[in-house]
Amino acid sequence: MNGNAWEAIWAGRELLWNGLLATLALSAVTIITSTVVGFLVGFARYSRIPVLDVVLRVYLELFRGTPLLIQLMFVYFGAAYLRLDWVSVFIASAIAITLYQGAYISEVFRAGFASVPPGQREAARTLGLSRFHTNKDVVFPQTTLVVLPPLFGQYLTLIKNTVLASVIGFSDIVRQGQAIIERGANSFVVYLVIAALFFAFNYPLSLLAGALERRIIRKRGVVA
Amino acid sequence: MNFLNYIELFISGAWVTLWTSTVAFALGLVLGVLVALARRSRLLILRTIGSIYVEVLWNTPVLVQIFIFYFGLASIGIRLPAIVAGIIALGVNAGAYLAEIIRAGLGSVPRSQLEAARTLGLAPAQTFFNVVLPQAIRTVFPPIVNRFIDLILASSLLSAIAVNELTGAARRVNAATYETLAVFAFAMLFYLVLTNLVSLAASVFARYAFKPAIAAPVWFRFRLRGSRLVDQTGLSAGAKSPRAQSKGDSR
């Protein structure tokens, strides 16, 4: 690589910085929203509410059986088709990523709730705890340990998935990288820099997920 | 319903999706086995190379990997056709995930079995092919099929480098008809059919291939895609997830 490649990137550092912030903003927002959606859907599935259960299974099948990219296009271009002007690229991306990742996260929570032995629930109800308190004070606290490692794994996937928003035009780090390339920067170097930035964020997260998982194995002796 | 006039575009797109994912998957399997063996090797250097490969590919987005193989390599003088670069990128990426699944599968065979095989006088190759492999394949099969399904879905990213697979076809039909909602919904339907066919074929195959089926009824009812959430983070996936998952899914 000659010096020019780095100079062009250095000249475009502000663009890259803005792109990084956009990626982080989209990640932060969707981590929160998809966790909320995932928790609610996971809990509803765990509670097996008759009609809702069928609806939610269709939702899961639909969003886990089709690519995120096409979901993004469906939401973004679809909103334009319906003339919903308030749906910006950011909002469309956030909606699609939330629904997609929420579907996966709901399975994490459902598995977590299911890992609490039914006897705990029965005992709590027998002792006179209300349904609400049985869930809040008996079931939920016991799931945190089990749920955390796969949840962090999902966050990792989510952060990587936010780059798909660049395909429909969201000015995230990949999009800004492309802008720098158009100004003459070497694309090999630019994409390596972007990959390195993702690695810098994701590697600690995956180490954390691994450490949490080993803690469960230590505490329970098995993989939950 | 003008978009139905373009049905052959969807069908040829689906075909491109299917064969590119299959070729990429084959490449991924070869890489996965090699990397899994490297990570179990006695040589530190091989283990290090194996873990760097897995960590780098796990922690960076596939789209960026595809761009590196297509635009990046072209800018340093290696010009590959989009579809070739895309298949290589997807295969290299799948290799990292498959390596961890295969490694977990090989590790799931209890040590005592190896010792017993040695005591009975089996050669190392016999031990591997007659004792380890038949058992490892059973635990490894469902997560590997999940990876193939994920690969079919991930191949939609090839539309970003102008490969005319299913998503690319949907974009073209959308540009021609402006029936946005119907077009993308129809493409999604294609993906659902494709992934469910693979899932079904795999569970039928598993039922007949792995005899005597230790967990036969569970195998059949078990929706293969159920264990996905486990193999996202991980490692311990193979062995435990199918049965643990099937409890919830086989209602």
Side-chain angles (χ1 to χ4, degrees), chain A residues 1 45 48 53 57 60-62 64-71 73-74 77-79 81-82 100 104 107-108 110-111 149-154 156-157 159-161 163-164 166-168 174 178 186-189 191-192 194-196 198-200 202-203 206-207 209-210 213 217 223, chain B residues 52 55-64 67-68 71-76 97 149-150 152-154 156-160 166-167 170-171 174 178-182 184-185 187-189 191-192 195-196 223 225-226 228-230 232-237 240 244-245 247-249 251:
Chain A
M1 283 312 107
R45 289 262 290 140
R48 296 184 188 175
D53 201 53
R57 282 168 77 155
L60 291 184
E61 179 67 19
L62 201 61
R64 297 197 309 161
T66 59
L68 173 60
L69 185 61
I70 212 158
Q71 294 168 21
M73 291 174 177
F74 185 82
F77 299 139
Y81 176 77
L82 297 173
Y100 175 83
Y104 283 93
E107 288 292 280
V108 171
R110 191 178 64 94
L151 198 57
F152 276 99
Q154 287 300 325
L156 207 113
T157 316
I159 293 173
K160 290 188 286 175
N161 278 338
V163 302
L164 299 201
S166 72
V167 178
I168 58 168
V174 173
Q178 286 165 343
N186 179 291
S187 66
F188 192 65
V189 181
Y191 288 127
L192 281 187
I194 292 173
F198 271 100
F199 189 83
N202 284 342
Y203 188 58
S206 65
L207 287 182
E213 189 161 323
I217 297 171
V223 180
Chain B
I52 291 176
E55 292 299 339
V56 166
L57 286 153
W58 270 34
N59 290 305
T60 55
V62 200
L63 186 68
V64 175
F67 284 169
I68 288 177
F71 299 118
L73 286 186
S75 77
I76 56 167
Y97 287 90
I149 290 170
D150 285 347
I152 291 177
L153 300 180
S156 66
L157 300 192
L158 297 186
S159 68
L166 193 43
T167 304
R171 290 183 85 167
N174 180 41
Y178 291 109
E179 293 172 325
T180 309
L181 292 178
F184 285 115
M188 283 183 185
L189 193 70
Y191 276 108
L192 281 177
T195 51
N196 277 298
R223 295 293 304 274
R225 234 174 306 131
R228 267 201 207 166
L229 65 111
V230 189
Q232 293 280 344
T233 40
L235 318 180
S236 38
K240 275 90 183 179
Q245 280 289 314
K247 273 182 211 153
D249 271 354
R251 272 181 282 125

Side-chain angles (χ1 to χ4, degrees), chain A residues 160-184:
Chain A
K160 290 188 286 175
N161 278 338
T162 57
V163 302
L164 299 201
S166 72
V167 178
I168 58 168
F170 179 59
S171 323
D172 73 337
I173 189 156
V174 173
R175 196 79 178 175
Q176 301 291 19
Q178 286 165 343
I180 297 175
I181 291 166
E182 276 161 28
R183 292 183 181 181

Side-chain angles (χ1 to χ4, degrees), chain B residues 97-126:
Chain B
Y97 287 90
L98 290 169
E100 285 306 279
I101 295 171
I102 293 166
R103 190 168 75 113
L106 293 175
S108 73
V109 178
R111 248 211 125 66
S112 56
Q113 301 243 354
L114 299 181
E115 286 157 10
R118 296 293 291 162
T119 314
L120 289 169
L122 268 68
Q126 280 179 310

Side-chain angles (χ1 to χ4, degrees), chain B residues 83-222:
Chain B
I83 202 159
V84 176
I87 288 174
I88 294 176
L90 287 178
V92 167
N93 178 267
Y97 287 90
L98 290 169
E100 285 306 279
I101 295 171
I102 293 166
R103 190 168 75 113
L106 293 175
S108 73
V109 178
R111 248 211 125 66
S112 56
Q113 301 243 354
L114 299 181
E115 286 157 10
R118 296 293 291 162
T119 314
L120 289 169
L122 268 68
Q126 280 179 310
T127 310
F128 182 77
F129 285 107
N130 296 327
V131 179
V132 178
L133 201 61
Q135 301 188 68
I137 281 185
R138 279 158 207 258
T139 54
V140 143
F141 186 76
I144 281 189
V145 173
N146 291 338
R147 264 297 131 197
F148 182 49
I149 290 170
D150 285 347
L151 188 54
I152 291 177
L153 300 180
S155 72
S156 66
L157 300 192
L158 297 186
S159 68
I161 55 170
V163 173
N164 264 316
E165 41 65 73
L166 193 43
T167 304
R171 290 183 85 167
R172 282 170 68 192
V173 177
N174 180 41
T177 63
Y178 291 109
E179 293 172 325
T180 309
L181 292 178
V183 169
F184 285 115
F186 191 62
M188 283 183 185
L189 193 70
F190 256 86
Y191 276 108
L192 281 177
V193 170
L194 222 52
T195 51
N196 277 298
L197 279 181
V198 170
S199 193
L200 184 71
S203 53
V204 171
F205 174 80
R207 182 153 169 73
Y208 291 102
F210 303 136
K211 283 180 195 168
I214 300 168
V218 183
W219 268 109
F220 198 63
R221 280 176 305 179
F222 170 54

Side-chain angles (χ1 to χ4, degrees), chain A residues 78-94:
Chain A
Y81 176 77
L82 297 173
R83 294 170 205 278
L84 303 171
D85 293 332
W86 54 273
V87 181
S88 64
V89 194
F90 183 87
I91 293 175
S93 309

